[in-house]
Amino acid sequence: MVMASPQEKDFQKLYREHKSFVRGFMFKLVGPALVDDAVQECFVKAWKGMENFEGNSSVKTWLCAIAKNVAIDFYRKTKPTKELEEEGSSEFKDPTVSKDIEKAVLSLPMEFRLVVVSMLFEEMSINEVSESLSIPEGTVKSRLSRGKEMMKEHLKKMGYDHG
């Protein structure tokens, strides 16, 4: 019987405790076609970087920073296509979130999508988002505001009029 090292045990615990969060977060960033690969890549990077995690931020914030970098890499490699954005899925964790809202989120440029998903869907604080994305709090606020406006514009084009 092979015994797991302390680092392997720590990683297994990290994975068990945060896999649902990371999957939901990555799904909203990269969409259904890429989510499995993105989650795997996120945890591979977390495994490789575990010894460098100093605990100056929460584990959630640290994983968000890793997920952000993975999502940006995937975004650059795949350049979202109309097909990807229209694919949609019922995998969005909140059952009240419609496929149209999902499409609106996926239509956002990545820098806005990261902030919108972090703040509105993952309920992170401005400070946590600022820290995980390495941007000033004012930038978080402006990207959230602009991202919400872009989503409203996208939904309006789809026939929604929220007055």
Side-chain angles (χ1 to χ4, degrees), residues 95-149:
T96 63
V97 177
S98 73
K99 288 185 183 213
D100 292 336
I101 292 175
E102 180 182 330
K103 289 176 189 176
V105 170
L106 291 173
S107 75
L108 295 173
M110 186 56 74
E111 66 268 18
F112 295 97
R113 190 183 315 173
L114 285 162
V115 172
V116 167
V117 167
S118 298
M119 297 279 305
L120 300 182
F121 297 102
E122 301 306 329
E123 299 177 355
M124 294 173 69
S125 70
I126 290 171
N127 185 320
E128 288 174 317
V129 176
S130 171
E131 193 175 320
S132 69
L133 300 181
S134 301
I135 58 176
E137 289 185 12
T139 303
V140 172
K141 292 175 186 176
S142 66
R143 286 184 184 174
L144 176 62
S145 177
R146 182 65 186 123
K148 287 164 62 176
E149 284 300 315

Side-chain angles (χ1 to χ4, degrees), residues 71-99:
I72 289 170
D73 288 347
F74 273 66
Y75 186 78
R76 286 180 185 147
K77 288 178 192 172
T78 62
K79 293 292 183 197
T81 62
K82 190 126 177 98
E83 177 185 311
L84 241 179
E85 290 175 3
E86 290 179 357
E87 188 173 317
S89 171
S90 61
E91 204 169 319
F92 238 70
K93 295 297 182 199
D94 183 345
T96 63
V97 177
S98 73
K99 288 185 183 213

Side-chain angles (χ1 to χ4, degrees), residues 2-14:
V2 177
M3 299 291 286
S5 71
Q7 185 181 14
E8 288 170 327
K9 287 180 183 177
D10 288 346
F11 181 75
Q12 289 170 0
K13 181 179 182 213
L14 173 85

